[in-house]
Amino acid sequence: MVETLIFLSSGLFLGWSLGANDAANVFGTAVGSRMVRFTTAAVIASLAVIAGAVLQGAGSTTGLGKLGQIDALPGAFIVALAAAVTVLGMTRARLPVSTSQAIVGAILGWNMFSHRDTDTTILSRVVTTWVAAPVLGAIFAASLQVGIKVWLRIFKPHMLRLDQYTRWALILAGAFGAFSLGANNIGNVMGVFVPSAPFDASVIRGLTVTAEQKLFLIGGVAISVGIFTYSRRVMETIGADLLPVSPIGAFTVVVAQGLVLMVFSSRELSAWCVDHGLPAIPLIPVSSSQAVVGAVVGLGLLKGSAGLRQLRWRFLGGIALGWVTTPLIAMMLSFVALYVLQNVFGQEVHL
Amino acid sequence: MAHLSLPLFGKTRFVERGIDEFLNAVSEAGLLFGLTVVGYVQVGKIDEDCKRHQERVTTIEKRCDDLRRSIEAVLLTQMLIPETRGDVLSLIDLLDGIVDRIKRELLSMTIERPHLPESLHADLVLLVEAICAALNEMVCGSRAYFSDQRAVRHHVHKIGFYESEADAVAIRMKQLIFASTDNLAEKMMLRDFIDSLDRIADQAEDIGDRLSIFTLRRSF
């Protein structure tokens, strides 16, 4: 049991860093502008993340599993650790980083080390989602913003009432965003441990809890701990990194991000697409930060040339660079660490 | 609202009503200003109506102060997106300031009772009409800021128009005054009287400019 927990610790560390960094994407503006208290935001975000992870987390995890079936717990430990170290290192270096890209790079490192073939179709789908997530974020945000503008023009609510609605909308959008974050990104945190999950399914009062769900619950709790212990500073300092956004704009961004994450996690939506003759949506963890960036860019584009001038293009360039550097660094770290664990510590990192 | 205690629920409606009441009071002060000055011009003395109007403005000014305090207390402690809160508080303060000025100028007029030559009567009425129109647009613009921000620009443009009209009339009147053979003390008193009235329109224009900035800040 102790050994199991030690091996799971890298995933928990990854979960903690995800909670610390990505919760700011859903509640950052609300807390930063002091519209919602940090404790309120942290409690709502934590509960929603855990609910999303346990109830909807299986979808995106399946997609990641297809990229690399990590069949030994020490191997999964190293993959998660390599991703976590990459995320931490890049965050320290103030470079935009995505947990999803780090974990994909680390899995590729394991594939290389264990001489397993990487399914290029799956890989190309994963890479496509990296581009698709911000693009979809931009489309969702721009459409939502247009809808809100039309609504405001028709109903002309009093400013005070509108601000009250905005406050509630930010809380609800934050809960939805956190649920989607849990559903989609739990694959990053615990996905690599699924094939070697050290748990059994159990029935509690007639309710079956699968081994996967137990794993996701632990991962969800790790994310929650990250939210409570470290996200406050990120939330309170989050500002106009990319473009100054109003509270209504912030609501739009959070909902757009939640929708993007939901699109790439919902088995039901993917099945619906197939039923209607559309291509299946790849169920893969995507970067919530990049969905947010896409949404903010969408709002900027909607403002026309003024919005484009306000955008910080160098920041965007850094994100695009991260699409290449993050998986590469994680892959190399994973490969080297697997070599060390197998040859120095004598652990079996693959079957 | 000023005499009511803050309800446990429905604070938004409470403040909404307070702001409406406040804007009504500002509008009323503007209308009474017009009635008082035009009445004085036509009658040539401070009669009962003038006194009554001036006293009503004093009461309104007190009510505005009370309402401002209540609104500020609720806004600061209970509600509104912080970045908007400052703008709303500033607007309420500025509007309260213009009611203060109206009260002050009317009080000065009733005390000093400047002698108004008949040659100035028509222009004085025109000046007061322009000032009242600017005040009216200022109140409409403020209402629009709370519920229909696209309309604010339209009202601000009109405030600017009426302020320019007031300036033009004031300059014409001062030229007339100093071209006359009246004694210098009287001329200076009249000039100060006209300037003091014209400053109300200037203040309305300043509020219009601030309204434009507040609206831009709310745009998303």
Side-chain angles (χ1 to χ4, degrees), chain B residues 37-193:
Chain B
V37 180
V38 170
Y40 179 64
V41 171
Q42 285 168 349
V43 181
K45 61 173 186 171
I46 302 294
D47 63 358
E48 277 309 305
D49 278 347
C50 271
K51 256 190 201 161
R52 193 166 45 83
H53 294 326
Q54 187 263 321
E55 279 162 10
R56 269 183 69 191
V57 170
T58 307
T59 316
I60 286 172
E61 192 271 330
K62 273 188 196 139
R63 201 166 87 221
C64 279
D65 281 345
D66 288 343
L67 283 166
R68 177 179 54 80
R69 282 189 205 103
S70 309
I71 294 166
E72 280 176 356
V74 185
L75 284 183
L76 279 172
T77 55
Q78 310 280 337
M79 44 190 313
L80 216 65
I81 291 171
E83 57 189 51
T84 310
R85 193 158 57 196
D87 290 349
V88 172
L89 292 175
S90 291
L91 179 63
I92 302 278
D93 251 0
L94 290 168
L95 291 170
D96 191 38
I98 209 165
V99 177
D100 274 355
R101 180 176 283 278
I102 290 172
K103 184 198 90 173
R104 228 173 27 239
E105 302 307 346
L106 289 184
L107 194 65
S108 298
M109 189 185 81
T110 52
I111 294 168
E112 295 167 14
R113 303 183 184 204
H115 168 67
L116 305 172
E118 213 169 321
S119 57
L120 293 180
H121 283 192
D123 276 344
L124 252 174
V125 172
L126 277 179
L127 176 68
V128 171
E129 278 174 359
I131 295 168
C132 287
L135 287 173
N136 182 46
E137 291 302 329
M138 177 197 74
V139 173
C140 291
S142 304
R143 281 194 210 279
Y145 171 67
F146 287 104
S147 54
D148 182 14
Q149 301 211 336
R150 280 159 57 88
V152 170
R153 207 166 45 176
H154 169 73
H155 293 296
V156 170
H157 169 74
K158 281 189 166 180
I159 299 173
F161 172 81
Y162 289 122
E163 193 273 339
S164 301
E165 273 302 297
D167 278 351
V169 177
I171 290 168
R172 195 169 64 219
M173 286 172 75
K174 282 190 276 189
Q175 283 167 343
L176 269 175
I177 291 165
F178 283 95
S180 74
T181 52
D182 293 344
N183 72 52
L184 188 62
E186 216 161 272
K187 284 177 183 177
M188 289 176 78
M189 191 182 184
L190 274 173
R191 181 199 61 191
D192 288 347
F193 177 62

Side-chain angles (χ1 to χ4, degrees), chain A residues 125-343:
Chain A
R125 259 191 219 163
V126 170
V127 174
T128 311
T129 61
W130 293 350
V131 183
V135 171
L136 263 184
I139 295 169
F140 284 151
S143 316
L144 270 168
Q145 191 79 341
V146 169
I148 292 172
K149 273 189 173 180
V150 170
W151 182 83
L152 287 176
R153 258 174 227 168
I154 295 171
F155 292 100
K156 297 184 177 127
H158 193 280
M159 176 198 283
L160 298 175
R161 208 162 293 184
L162 179 64
D163 281 3
Q164 198 187 29
Y165 294 158
T166 309
R167 199 180 286 259
W168 279 105
L170 274 172
I171 291 177
L172 289 175
F176 169 62
F179 183 89
S180 300
L181 183 71
N184 186 274
N185 275 215
I186 194 69
N188 291 333
V189 177
M190 285 289 146
V192 290
F193 295 97
V194 169
S196 53
F199 302 112
D200 297 317
S202 51
V203 180
I204 304 165
R205 295 192 177 183
L207 197 76
T208 308
V209 182
T210 63
E212 248 181 21
Q213 282 176 321
K214 285 182 183 171
L215 205 57
F216 294 164
L217 178 66
I218 294 172
V221 171
I223 299 174
S224 301
V225 173
I227 294 173
F228 268 101
T229 55
Y230 210 74
S231 72
R232 183 173 201 151
R233 212 180 54 175
V234 187
M235 282 190 195
E236 284 175 348
T237 54
I238 198 165
D241 262 353
L242 193 60
L243 180 87
V245 177
S246 70
I248 294 180
F251 162 76
T252 311
V253 168
V254 175
V255 173
Q257 177 242 1
L259 286 171
V260 171
L261 263 60
M262 195 46 82
V263 163
F264 290 109
S265 338
S266 173
R267 284 172 162 172
E268 292 77 14
L269 187 66
S270 187
W272 184 88
C273 286
V274 174
D275 288 347
H276 288 78
L278 297 165
I281 298 169
L283 301 177
I284 291 161
V286 289
S287 164
S288 66
S289 309
Q290 286 174 11
V292 164
V293 168
V296 175
V297 171
L299 293 188
L301 291 174
L302 207 61
K303 281 185 176 178
S305 57
L308 289 177
R309 271 200 307 275
Q310 280 177 294
L311 279 172
R312 286 177 55 192
W313 291 98
R314 185 179 277 194
F315 190 77
L316 276 180
I319 289 164
L321 193 69
W323 285 341
V324 184
T325 52
T326 308
L328 272 180
I329 293 170
M331 187 170 75
M332 285 190 289
L333 269 179
S334 168
F335 189 90
V336 172
L338 286 167
Y339 180 84
V340 170
L341 192 69
Q342 181 177 273
N343 297 305

Side-chain angles (χ1 to χ4, degrees), chain A residues 52-73:
Chain A
V54 175
L55 301 174
Q56 284 269 341
S60 64
T61 311
T62 322
L64 209 58
K66 284 179 191 161
L67 195 64
Q69 282 282 337
I70 301 166
D71 44 20
L73 203 51

